[in-house]
């Protein structure tokens, strides 16, 4: 059976901009998203430039009733929330997509493709289970304990 896919919306969060038009224009002009690192003190590093996403507020992209639920989202998740919201809006899909608009074609046939650059590990939530599950006498890891500690530290909205 031959199935067709239609891309109806796109969203981006990048060092060149946070909407498709701005990013495309920057790419066509050969713009660089690299600049002096300002999100943290990089003075002790051999390189003080990076491709950062400055002044980005994911809450600007979602309805106010969802702000409390997503206010503590991790940095990578914030970028995903913004980009996904822009793509949803560009596709003219109803929000929320629920029982109130279940007759909308997207209610049964919507899909999402998410491509993301690898962001930094959530260092504290990675290290804590590693330290707690380390068996120093055996020079080994208790992987079951590692998984339990990691699971206990998870916050659903940070794990997008």
């Amino acid at each position: 059976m031959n199935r067709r896919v239609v891309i109806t919306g796109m969203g981006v969060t990048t060092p060149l901009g946070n909407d498709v038009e701005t990013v495309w224009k920057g790419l066509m002009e050969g713009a660089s998203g690299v600049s002096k690192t300002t999100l943290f003190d990089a003075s002790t590093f051999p390189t003080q430039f990076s491709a950062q996403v400055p002044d980005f507020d994911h809450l600007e992209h979602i309805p106010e009733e969802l702000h409390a639920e997503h206010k503590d989202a991790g940095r990578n998740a914030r970028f995903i929330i913004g980009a996904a919201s822009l793509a949803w809006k560009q596709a003219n899909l109803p929000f929320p997509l629920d029982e109130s608009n279940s007759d909308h074609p997207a209610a049964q046939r919507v899909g999402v493709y998410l491509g993301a650059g690898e962001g930094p590990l959530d260092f504290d939530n990675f290290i804590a289970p590693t330290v707690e599950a380390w068996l120093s006498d055996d020079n080994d890891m208790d992987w079951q304990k590692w998984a339990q500690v990691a699971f206990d530290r998870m916050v659903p909205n940070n794990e997008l």
Side-chain angles (χ1 to χ4, degrees), residues 5 13 15 17 25 35 41 45 56 63 68 71 75-77 86 95 97 101 109 124 126 138-139 141 153 155 159:
V5 174
T13 307
K25 182 179 181 208
S35 62
D41 179 6
F45 292 92
F56 178 77
K71 70 179 176 58
R75 187 156 167 82
N76 292 352
L86 289 169
F95 186 86
L97 189 55
N101 49 32
R109 302 196 62 177
D124 292 340
F126 176 74
D138 299 333
N139 199 28
M141 185 70 68
R153 293 178 64 92
V155 176
E159 308 303 331

Side-chain angles (χ1 to χ4, degrees), residues 8-82:
T8 57
M10 297 184 297
V12 296
T13 307
T14 78
L16 284 179
N18 301 319
D19 62 83
V20 174
E21 293 78 17
T22 302
V23 171
W24 184 252
K25 182 179 181 208
L27 289 171
M28 293 295 97
E29 293 173 353
S32 173
V34 176
S35 62
K36 181 175 174 31
T37 301
T38 59
L39 294 177
F40 63 92
D41 179 6
S43 63
T44 62
F45 292 92
T47 303
Q48 284 94 41
F49 62 90
S50 59
Q52 47 190 6
V53 179
D55 306 319
F56 178 77
D57 183 1
H58 66 298
L59 298 178
E60 292 177 5
H61 300 281
I62 59 175
E64 193 169 333
E65 63 267 18
L66 296 177
H67 285 193
E69 185 177 340
H70 295 289
K71 70 179 176 58
D72 295 323
R75 187 156 167 82
N76 292 352
R78 290 173 187 218
F79 295 157
I80 293 166
I81 290 167

Side-chain angles (χ1 to χ4, degrees), residues 93-105:
L93 294 171
F95 186 86
L97 189 55
D98 59 16
E99 306 82 41
S100 69
N101 49 32
S102 60
D103 59 334
H104 191 282

Side-chain angles (χ1 to χ4, degrees), residues 115-133:
E118 292 302 318
L121 288 172
D122 183 354
F123 188 77
D124 292 340
N125 287 328
F126 176 74
I127 293 300
T130 303
V131 169
E132 290 186 45

Side-chain angles (χ1 to χ4, degrees), residues 107-151:
Q108 299 297 318
R109 302 196 62 177
V110 67
V112 175
Y113 171 78
L114 175 65
E118 292 302 318
L121 288 172
D122 183 354
F123 188 77
D124 292 340
N125 287 328
F126 176 74
I127 293 300
T130 303
V131 169
E132 290 186 45
W134 183 249
L135 304 168
S136 58
D137 292 342
D138 299 333
N139 199 28
D140 200 3
M141 185 70 68
D142 178 342
W143 291 106
Q144 192 167 18
K145 184 173 182 178
W146 187 96
Q148 185 60 52
V149 172
F151 183 77

